[in-house]
Amino acid sequence: MAPNAERLGEIRSDWSLAEVRKLHALPFADLIWHAQSIHRRHFDPNLVQVSTLLSIKTGACPEDCAYCPQSVRYDTGLERESLMDADTVIERARAAKASGATRFCMGAAWRSPKDRDLDSVAEMVSGVRELGLETCATLGMLTPVQARRLKDAGLDYYNHNLDTSEDFYGEIITTRTYQDRLDTLAAVRDAGINVCCGGILGMGEDVSDRVALLHTLATLSPHPESVPVNQLVQVEGTPLAGTAPLDPIEFVRIIALARILMPRAHVRLSAGRSSMSDEMQALCFLAGANSIFYGEKLLTTGNPDTASDHALFGRLGIRPEPAAASG
Ligand code: SAM
Ligand code: DTB
Ligand code: SF4
């Protein structure tokens, strides 16, 4: 029996850590059944939202995130690239739309954007939006003024991940604090931009860290509109290369937990799909994942090719979600 079973499916931000822990420990079949039942109350279970990523500024990042190939501190062989010009970005967005994406997410390897950079990003955002795509950006920490600037340019979503639990966070990043991340999320929310916030699994964290991350996300009020669940992509040269891989069943459990705790959020099966079997991805969709990154590249690393994603969608009877209905 689930904790407070009669309250499952309610939209609430007052989850206790004990409740989240108990849900996580449910037998797999019970957990998936709750997740799938809740999923069907809020979404068409055969629709999946499709986002494409583009790295608009690559590498040479001053931060020390231990998973990241773009940090200047690790030798990963990545070529640095300065900020792309707006026309090139808009062309890439046009191609992503033609290939079936409905949201275009622009990522930059910055600690935080400079005001001068924001002029260019604002131009990209308005150009991409004019194509009829939803816009998303992930540029590092933002001040409230910067967030309002992006809102005015037409930004629909801002991605800023908590990455892991507050306790484990210090093992992964030392150059910005957990509170810095919460402050950016508050600035984004206050500016009226939809929040995209999730984390990474498989960094050597333990179950209590995964439960605590989900608890922090689910006690944000309101919940993030999008919750990306990434599996660590191990990149040679980063401190986390060689970390013991996560049990795929545990990954699916976290997807189900996100679905149960945040019933209206789009839960995105994010980085790491290249190393997942079709069967594992099918389990993730069954557990309530209803969004993916689509296109042959994430930011700097690989993603499944579009033909294999079309084949997977075909086998599962999944259709891409139309743009206007996303959230
Ligand atoms: N520099 C900005 C920042 O960190 O806020 C934006 C881009 S950053 C690459 C966006 C997110 O990508 C990170 O917060 C992290 O969750 C995810 N990410 C980066 N490298 C990853 C990896 N190797 N595997 C999985 N997720 C990763
Ligand atoms: C998110 O949660 N995952 C995406 C997006 N937000 C920006 C990034 C994944 C990056 C994986 C490593 C890379 O390709 O550089
Ligand atoms: Fe920089 Fe973002 Fe990579 Fe951290 S995750 S090193 S902030 S690009």
Side-chain angles (χ1 to χ4, degrees):
M1 192 60 175
N4 261 327
E6 69 286 355
R7 294 196 64 192
L8 289 185
E10 264 181 48
I11 312 296
R12 41 185 291 228
S13 292
D14 63 350
W15 296 99
S16 71
L17 195 55
E19 282 177 302
V20 180
R21 210 180 285 129
K22 276 193 196 152
L23 282 167
H24 179 273
L26 282 174
F28 191 70
D30 294 342
L31 182 68
I32 300 298
W33 184 78
H34 285 301
Q36 178 64 202
S37 313
I38 289 167
H39 190 48
R40 282 169 181 268
R41 265 186 248 164
H42 298 282
F43 293 102
D44 178 333
N46 304 311
L47 289 184
V48 168
Q49 191 278 328
V50 171
S51 297
T52 290
L53 280 167
L54 177 68
S55 181
I56 59 170
K57 186 268 167 183
T58 305
C61 181
E63 301 294 279
D64 69 352
C65 313
Y67 47 76
C68 187
Q70 304 202 67
S71 167
V72 75
R73 296 163 197 241
Y74 317 130
D75 183 7
T76 61
L78 186 71
E79 289 275 329
R80 60 172 71 179
E81 287 166 38
S82 52
L83 185 61
M84 287 170 99
D85 66 75
D87 288 345
T88 312
V89 172
I90 293 161
E91 266 326 296
R92 296 287 288 269
R94 201 187 304 279
K97 186 179 182 196
S99 155
T102 56
R103 189 179 305 167
F104 192 68
C105 180
M106 294 157 271
W110 287 322
R111 171 177 164 80
S112 54
K114 300 197 172 54
D115 289 339
R116 173 168 44 88
D117 299 324
L118 272 195
D119 291 337
S120 311
V121 176
E123 195 185 336
M124 296 170 194
V125 167
S126 41
V128 171
R129 206 158 194 266
E130 273 172 28
L131 300 175
L133 282 162
E134 295 175 330
T135 54
C136 177
T138 179
L139 316 170
M141 294 186 284
L142 292 185
T143 63
V145 172
Q146 290 178 320
R148 282 196 293 275
R149 179 108 192 275
L150 289 168
K151 171 71 183 172
D152 291 344
L155 189 69
D156 297 308
Y157 291 82
Y158 194 79
N159 166 246
H160 198 65
N161 291 337
L162 288 173
D163 281 345
T164 189
S165 69
E166 186 163 15
D167 280 356
F168 191 64
Y169 183 85
E171 305 283 317
I172 303 296
I173 299 140
T174 69
T175 48
R176 66 167 82 137
T177 65
Y178 213 68
Q179 189 58 47
D180 287 332
R181 291 185 182 252
L182 293 167
D183 291 347
T184 291
L185 292 171
V188 169
R189 178 59 78 202
D190 289 348
I193 301 172
N194 291 305
V195 171
C196 172
C197 182
I200 309 177
L201 311 183
M203 299 196 292
E205 75 285 347
D206 62 27
V207 171
S208 64
D209 296 307
R210 293 187 282 271
V211 164
L213 167 64
L214 271 285
H215 177 255
T216 304
L217 292 169
T219 51
L220 293 173
S221 181
H223 296 151
E225 281 75 16
S226 285
V227 179
V229 182
N230 296 277
Q231 175 173 277
L232 174 68
V233 177
Q234 298 200 9
V235 179
E236 215 47 59
T238 61
L240 293 186
T243 304
L246 186 69
D247 171 11
I249 299 293
E250 169 66 2
F251 187 95
V252 178
R253 272 186 187 277
I254 299 298
I255 296 274
L257 200 53
R259 169 53 61 228
I260 293 169
L261 297 174
M262 296 169 278
R264 286 207 188 106
H266 276 80
V267 176
R268 184 170 308 119
L269 179 53
S270 303
R273 286 199 303 118
S274 289
S275 61
M276 294 177 193
S277 67
D278 282 0
E279 293 80 1
M280 178 177 170
Q281 294 186 60
L283 271 179
C284 289
F285 294 130
L286 195 63
N290 62 346
S291 174
I292 59 164
F293 285 126
Y294 167 80
E296 266 120 62
K297 216 166 171 197
L298 291 164
L299 289 173
T300 67
T301 66
N303 199 38
D305 60 51
T306 53
S308 59
D309 278 343
H310 284 292
L312 178 62
F313 276 25
R315 287 170 78 198
L316 301 176
I318 285 174
R319 288 169 284 116
E321 182 179 284
S326 301

